[in-house]
Amino acid sequence: AQRVTQPEKLLSVFKGAPVELKCNYSYSGSPELFWYVQYSRQRLQLLLRHISRESIKGFTADLNKGETSFHLKKPFAQEEDSAMYYCAGAVTSGTYKYIFGTGTRLKVLA
Amino acid sequence: DTGVSQNPRHKITKRGQNVTFRCDPISEHNRLYWYRQTLGQGPEFLTYFQNEAQLEKSRLLSDRFSAERPKGSFSTLEIQRTEQGDSAMYLCASSFRGSLINEQFFGPGTRLTVL
């Protein structure tokens, strides 16, 4: 079965410290992976997609097929990064529905 | 407003009542999804429409749940004979088939509380 795992429910870091939010996937075929973010009282919004290999708000994520991981990283955390982060994989045949992880709450402390 | 909208935003109902939620996707999007999110979990897929055709339903969607997308525009999700276990956030998302990216755009959700 296709699965996305986020092992940490809560991650607390100090402002200026590096951040790594973990995501592992179990997929048949080639996955399309995304990171979505939900700030307080806002809707889910796309942060990154692996296919674009981009950096958004200082965040990057690299797909590691050997380790089946898609960890989200930022070298220097900012207080405004505090939010709920979800890793999601798209089923790439037919519906392109998402399989979400359980999410990690990031708290950046002053 | 060019984003996905959902109504109502909150719904409180008594067990056994029927409820209906509405989703208005981004106008040019032909794919529409419903997800359900309970506390401490990520969103879970419920059903998918391509235009007006409902092409997939999760086994989470019991026979008390029905969804429609008449004319391939807005969608409704109805829950009959609600149970306390139906309490959750119901999310709608849309995307454009033909996009290379498959990004889904989410609505704000409808929070259902069944008393």
Side-chain angles (χ1 to χ4, degrees), chain A residues 9 32 34 36 43-44 46 49 51 86 94-98 100-102, chain B residues 4 31 33 35 37 40-43 45 48 56 101-104 106 108:
Chain A
K9 281 207 172 292
E32 280 192 38
F34 305 83
Y36 275 76
R43 64 184 70 190
L44 271 170
L46 180 69
R49 46 207 165 212
I51 198 168
Y86 293 95
T95 68
Y96 285 91
K97 66 186 179 186
Y98 282 174
F100 280 91
T102 51
Chain B
V4 178
R31 289 179 161 170
Y33 305 81
Y35 294 85
Q37 186 174 21
Q41 300 297 316
F45 169 78
Y48 162 69
E56 184 170 336
I101 297 171
N102 297 310
E103 174 184 354
Q104 292 183 21
F106 283 81

Side-chain angles (χ1 to χ4, degrees), chain A residues 43, chain B residues 1-6 23-29 92-95 103-108:
Chain A
R43 64 184 70 190
Chain B
D1 184 4
T2 56
V4 178
S5 61
Q6 292 187 245
C23 170
D24 287 89
I26 294 171
S27 58
E28 62 268 25
H29 285 183
C92 176
S94 69
S95 69
E103 174 184 354
Q104 292 183 21
F105 294 81
F106 283 81

Side-chain angles (χ1 to χ4, degrees), chain B residues 11-64:
Chain B
K11 179 71 178 177
I12 299 174
T13 191
K14 292 183 179 179
R15 188 175 54 187
Q17 298 294 305
N18 298 345
V19 295
T20 300
F21 311 141
R22 178 180 170 122
C23 170
D24 287 89
I26 294 171
S27 58
E28 62 268 25
H29 285 183
N30 45 19
R31 289 179 161 170
L32 187 145
Y33 305 81
W34 284 98
Y35 294 85
R36 181 171 69 185
Q37 186 174 21
T38 53
L39 199 61
Q41 300 297 316
E44 294 176 290
F45 169 78
L46 291 179
T47 190
Y48 162 69
F49 289 85
Q50 184 172 301
N51 299 311
E52 66 277 7
Q54 187 175 22
L55 297 185
E56 184 170 336
K57 292 194 294 187
S58 164
R59 57 185 169 80
L60 292 175
L61 215 63
S62 76
D63 55 8
R64 296 185 296 106

Side-chain angles (χ1 to χ4, degrees), chain A residues 46-58:
Chain A
L46 180 69
L47 180 63
L48 283 177
R49 46 207 165 212
H50 93 269
I51 198 168
S52 302
R53 299 182 64 83
E54 58 203 337
S55 174
I56 302 291
K57 299 184 180 183

